[in-house]
Amino acid sequence: MSESKSSISLKEGDQFETIFWRNEGAQKETFPFRATTAGEAQSKKVILCADKNVPVGKPVRVRVIRVKRPQSEGRGFIEATCLGPVEFRIDPDIYVDPLISKKLQVLLEAGYSILLDGPQGSGKTVLSKAIADALDMEYVYFNCASVYEATDFIATLQVRANESGVAETIFIPTNFRQALLDAVEQPHRRFLIFLDEFNRCRPMARNGLMPALDSTRKVYDPETGELLDIPENVQFVSAINNGDQFAGTSAVDPAQMDRFATLKLDYPPVDAEVRILQGRFPSLSTSVIQQVAEIASELRNDENLEAELSMRATQEACTLLSHPLFSDEMEAEEALQEALATAYCGRFQGRIDDEGSDAGAIWTKIRSIVLRKK
Ligand SMILES: Nc1ncnc2c1ncn2[C@@H]1O[C@H](COP(=O)(O)OP(=O)(O)OP(=O)(O)O)[C@@H](O)[C@H]1O
Ligand SMILES: [Mg+2]
């Protein structure tokens, strides 16, 4: 835990959130669990818990039932009772369906690796970081798209010139490997390794991770030629875009899928997207943001278009519309249409004046929605 936390004196009846770890101290028979933090602060006395079913390493809510004053030797302690798990609080700037959020928490706390499956720009990458923040986990970002060989997860073979200018090959350890070593050093920190673009590495290379993701919990280290343990305090979250339309991806086979609990994400509902965009574009009027989000939602839900319109697109439209250089020169309706022509249609093949193209079909739909809303 961070050294910079303020310290706090607790008293009977206080309630707060903490994380318990196994008590290896003298009183471990009576109090199998110990914690040192109370919410954001550091407790001046160690917090002990006698409840048998406390989840180790998971945020829980507790109440102080006794403050044991210091004896001649020893510093005294706080005895707390566990009230139950804490529902994790994802950054309110990130939308995640409330039911998915609950499933995510339960599965993560049960130790599962999680696979986030969703269309482009539906928040998989930002959510992975928000999960780590919510659970006070160390976040390690690893992009699988750069993995070519199975060993690349742990170290990549690079050629470089040594001091005498002679080419030599060396292994450069990845941050994935470093996280495994750090996790051993810091058993009281939890690490979330985010394997982004999991289906954008070579399928054969991905096989190298199979034993890391099952109960074997080991991975081959090319630098030492030995198997590295995946410590208990390391968890994996992966993200994929699943579908034939995604070039450069490869199917995650059933045995690989089976090692994850998969959660399917989708774009936020209109009201949630409006709220997020309002926060990011405070100078834009709610009615303009509402139109940007409603039109995006209609396009996403139109079965004839198959337009998976990323939240990057709605943000891009708002970026244009909120800038005086762009919007001051135009009537509001013209500005909206111009912004959408670029931010929405520009993402698809073809031109807006070619009705037979994807961009043209989306443009026709946008025009009809705008006309209808008049
Ligand atoms: N559910 C969401 N809540 C808040 N912001 C979101 C959400 N979905 C997308 N965004 C915004 O859209 C942008 C893209 O999000 P992100 O990179 O997380 O998407 P992704 O699902 O990982 O996409 P890709 O499949 O292309 O990697 C970010 O700026 C992010 O803030
Ligand atoms: Mg992503």
Side-chain angles (χ1 to χ4, degrees), residues 119-126 141 194 196-197 239-241 312:
Q120 69 273 24
S122 57
K124 301 178 294 297
T125 301
V126 288
Y141 178 88
F194 179 53
D196 205 4
E197 318 287 5
I240 57 171
N241 302 123
R312 296 187 187 98

Side-chain angles (χ1 to χ4, degrees), residues 91-97 118-128 141 194 196-197 200 239-241 246 265-268 272-273 276 280 310-315:
D91 178 346
D93 189 43
I94 310 292
Y95 172 79
V96 51
D97 174 89
Q120 69 273 24
S122 57
K124 301 178 294 297
T125 301
V126 288
L127 177 61
S128 71
Y141 178 88
F194 179 53
D196 205 4
E197 318 287 5
R200 289 183 191 270
I240 57 171
N241 302 123
F246 296 106
L265 301 189
D266 221 326
Y267 297 114
E273 190 159 0
I276 293 167
R280 296 182 189 178
S310 155
M311 247 201 87
R312 296 187 187 98
T314 51
Q315 289 181 125

Side-chain angles (χ1 to χ4, degrees), residues 3 40 55 76 106 142 175 227 229 255 298 315 328 363:
E3 297 294 320
E40 296 293 302
V106 172
F142 185 87
N175 60 346
L227 290 172
D229 281 326
E298 273 206 47
Q315 289 181 125
D328 281 4
W363 180 239

Side-chain angles (χ1 to χ4, degrees), residues 152-307:
D152 289 348
F153 286 103
I154 298 301
T156 57
L157 203 53
Q158 307 278 344
V159 181
R160 71 165 184 201
N162 67 15
E163 279 175 7
S164 15
V166 178
E168 62 176 12
T169 46
I170 51 156
F171 275 115
I172 312 257
T174 60
N175 60 346
F176 185 137
R177 182 179 191 273
Q178 191 55 48
L180 299 184
L181 303 182
D182 290 348
V184 174
E185 291 278 302
Q186 303 167 50
H188 288 185
R189 280 303 279 153
R190 292 200 294 155
F191 291 71
L192 187 157
I193 302 185
F194 179 53
L195 303 168
D196 205 4
E197 318 287 5
F198 189 62
N199 60 343
R200 289 183 191 270
C201 66
R202 280 204 318 164
M204 292 301 286
R206 212 158 40 222
N207 286 339
L209 270 198
M210 301 272 276
L213 296 166
D214 63 25
S215 56
T216 320
R217 291 190 69 87
K218 287 188 189 303
V219 64
Y220 177 71
D221 183 351
E223 213 175 346
T224 60
E226 289 177 3
L227 290 172
L228 263 178
D229 281 326
I230 314 281
E232 255 187 58
N233 50 337
V234 169
Q235 265 187 288
F236 297 102
V237 175
S238 302
I240 57 171
N241 302 123
N242 212 352
D244 297 339
Q245 71 275 36
F246 296 106
T249 64
S250 57
V252 179
D253 74 43
Q256 291 168 346
M257 284 295 266
D258 200 42
R259 283 164 165 74
F260 291 98
T262 301
L263 294 171
K264 309 249 181 193
L265 301 189
D266 221 326
Y267 297 114
V270 171
D271 56 344
E273 190 159 0
V274 167
R275 186 178 44 72
I276 293 167
L277 293 171
Q278 277 175 324
R280 296 182 189 178
F281 300 92
S283 67
L284 263 188
S285 75
T286 303
S287 71
V288 168
I289 293 181
Q290 189 83 29
Q291 291 190 71
V292 166
E294 279 176 4
I295 294 173
S297 168
E298 273 206 47
L299 295 172
R300 288 169 186 153
N301 293 325
D302 188 320
E303 285 172 8
N304 299 321
L305 291 176
E306 289 183 23

